[in-house]
Structure formats: structure tokens, C-alpha cells
Amino acid sequence: QVHLVESGGGSVQAGGSLRLSCSASGYSYSSQCLAWFRQAPGKEREGVASIDSDGDTYYADSIRGRFTISQDNAKNILYLQLNSLKPEDTAMYFCAVRGDSLFCGSTLRSPVNYNYWGQGTKVTVSS
């Protein structure tokens, strides 16, 4: 059974940084796409960043240059480094996995492209 657990969220002031982690277990895909999505109160869930089995990374325009996605394959941990945070980055952040690495960047367009999700970790940025 696939199990994803996020951690690392918190409250920071604008301009601050956080590093989110997602511990993944229970899947053994030959290739996969791992991603971070976020959902602000009253808004739809939106794709933030994804990484495929080759380590290629993809980002939403709204966070490009500020956030960095990475993974530790040995530990099965997915990371999202958040820098230069803005109040509009306030949201619940979720990690997700799909058992297919094709078009990993395009999968950020919709959460329906992902099969498994964590419970989320909350990020609050104050001005």
C-alpha cells in the first residue's frame, strides 16, 4: 500500500524559507513522477513542482526560481525547498505520486493525474 507522509510545514514571515519533506513507501514503480501540489483556503489544488525518474524537474511559473524540488532515492524522501516566501504561498502542501514518468511536467496541470496523496503539511506566510 502506498503511503506518503509530509512534514516540515510551519509559520514564517515573508522572505523566509522552509523545507518540506515527503516520506514515501509502499510502491515499486519502474518509473514514476513525484510532485508537490498546494491548496489555499477556498481555492483549487494547484501543481507546484514535479520530478521524474531521471531527475528532471518541472515547476509552476508562480514559484519558479524560488522553490526547488529534489529527492533522496536511497531514503525514498521527496523534498521541496521554499525560499523567498510570500503571503500568497500560504496553503496546505501535498506530495503525490503516479506510476508513470511520461509528461511529468504536464501532470502538474491537474491533481487528477496523480494516484496517491499524502495528508498535507500547512505553510503559513505572514507579511
Side-chain angles (χ1 to χ4, degrees), residues 30-119:
S30 58
S31 64
Q32 73 277 330
C33 187
L34 296 163
W36 288 96
F37 280 72
R38 67 184 181 184
Q39 188 166 17
K43 295 189 176 181
E44 295 185 351
R45 192 168 298 192
E46 64 172 354
V48 174
S50 61
I51 185 168
D52 64 22
S53 302
D54 293 328
D56 293 326
T57 57
Y58 308 87
Y59 296 95
D61 290 341
S62 60
I63 58 85
R64 193 184 306 275
R66 299 190 296 121
F67 294 3
T68 303
I69 190 171
S70 62
Q71 59 184 347
D72 183 330
N73 290 325
K75 297 180 179 179
N76 282 343
I77 300 177
L78 178 70
Y79 299 103
L80 186 68
Q81 178 68 41
L82 290 66
N83 295 330
S84 302
L85 282 162
K86 304 175 181 180
E88 52 263 43
D89 295 319
T90 295
M92 189 73 79
Y93 284 72
F94 300 89
C95 65
V97 62
R98 58 178 276 134
D100 187 337
S101 64
L102 293 177
F103 309 114
C104 195
S106 297
T107 62
L108 289 176
R109 294 175 185 171
S110 174
V112 301
N113 293 317
Y114 284 82
N115 309 100
Y116 299 100
W117 294 84
Q119 83 291 343

